[in-house]
Amino acid sequence: MGRLSLPITEIDPADDATVRAYELGAQAYLDDAASRAPHPTHVAFRQAALDRLSPGARLLELGTGPGRDAQYFEDHGLSVRRTDATRAFVERLRRAGHAADLLDVTSDDLGGPYEGIYANAVLLHLTSEQLAALLVRARSAVVPGGLLAFTVKEGDGEQWSTAKLGHPRFFRYWRAEPLTDLVTQTGWDVDELRQVTGNAETWLQLLCRPATSP
């Protein structure tokens, strides 16, 4: 992964630099996604989320991007609310005939209640504090027994990377134990945690349910 030369403290991860990177690199991102089939580990995770939801269930997708996962879920009977913080992605989805909402996971109301929330390769752009706050808000946005399915990259620390898009994006890496601790502290039980290797990196895939006890 490419690195910027400036120290991480010189960019505020709470600002919109990562969203701006996606706006500027939207076409490059879409072209890259279109050129590759989903990795088998991603396909398996997506199916695991689907298997935990009933036909007709309402699913909030955070960071819809090209919309491939949303289409998969809809093709299998779910009602998906497509959202993204990147205006270019939202506008593209709307031009293709899909309802899509501009939504910033760090600040916007999530709506709901939903039977599930799905966020693939999205929450890895949040700081620890932002992720904790999002998990609390997500807990209030799902029905009792609802599902939260999300993925982050495994590793240590934080990094700004210009890889893939040529513009700086913030990444927060996680190990299984501290991530599980954060999830449980914010009102969730971990139904399943998978450690998988993608095209080049290791990912943590989590399937969570609201905690049944304080």
Side-chain angles (χ1 to χ4, degrees):
M1 179 180 289
R3 280 186 179 271
L4 290 175
S5 58
L6 67 167
I8 192 169
T9 53
E10 293 187 20
I11 304 179
D12 181 2
D15 75 8
D16 61 355
T18 298
V19 174
R20 187 161 55 249
Y22 280 105
E23 295 285 8
L24 294 171
Q27 192 58 54
Y29 186 90
L30 294 171
D31 291 344
D32 179 72
S35 70
R36 293 182 290 108
H39 193 275
T41 58
H42 171 62
V43 172
F45 176 70
R46 188 172 62 182
Q47 184 62 46
L50 179 64
D51 290 343
R52 286 165 167 79
L53 295 166
S54 302
R58 190 175 184 216
L59 179 70
L60 169 65
E61 184 178 22
L62 303 175
T64 300
R68 187 156 54 184
D69 287 351
Q71 190 63 56
Y72 177 84
F73 289 126
E74 287 184 342
D75 289 345
H76 288 80
L78 301 189
S79 174
V80 182
R81 181 189 175 198
R82 291 170 166 85
T83 72
D84 206 291
T86 303
R87 188 176 300 276
F89 292 153
V90 171
E91 291 177 349
R92 177 184 179 277
L93 290 166
R94 289 174 176 172
R95 288 196 299 270
H98 301 291
D101 297 320
L102 199 65
L103 189 149
D104 184 339
V105 299
T106 67
S107 59
D108 291 340
D109 180 46
L110 301 181
Y114 309 96
E115 281 70 41
I117 297 176
Y118 178 85
N120 180 60
V122 175
L123 306 188
L124 76 179
H125 294 306
L126 303 185
T127 65
S128 303
E129 295 77 13
Q130 289 172 332
L131 179 57
L134 183 277
L135 291 171
V136 171
R137 289 161 50 230
R139 174 67 180 80
S140 299
V142 297
V143 300
L147 175 71
L148 171 64
F150 72 98
T151 67
V152 294
K153 291 183 180 182
E154 186 180 49
D156 300 301
E158 301 172 340
Q159 176 184 6
W160 284 91
S161 171
T162 57
K164 187 184 249 184
L165 300 185
H167 305 283
R169 293 181 295 162
F170 175 82
F171 291 87
R172 169 65 160 93
Y173 300 94
W174 290 92
R175 297 293 179 183
E177 185 173 352
L179 182 58
T180 299
D181 288 344
L182 181 64
V183 168
T184 57
Q185 290 165 9
T186 52
W188 297 91
D189 289 332
V190 177
D191 187 28
E192 185 177 358
L193 187 152
R194 303 176 176 192
Q195 181 188 52
V196 301
T197 301
N199 290 318
E201 298 169 298
T202 302
W203 292 78
L204 299 176
Q205 302 175 334
L206 280 83
L207 297 151
C208 311
R209 299 285 190 182
T212 55
S213 60

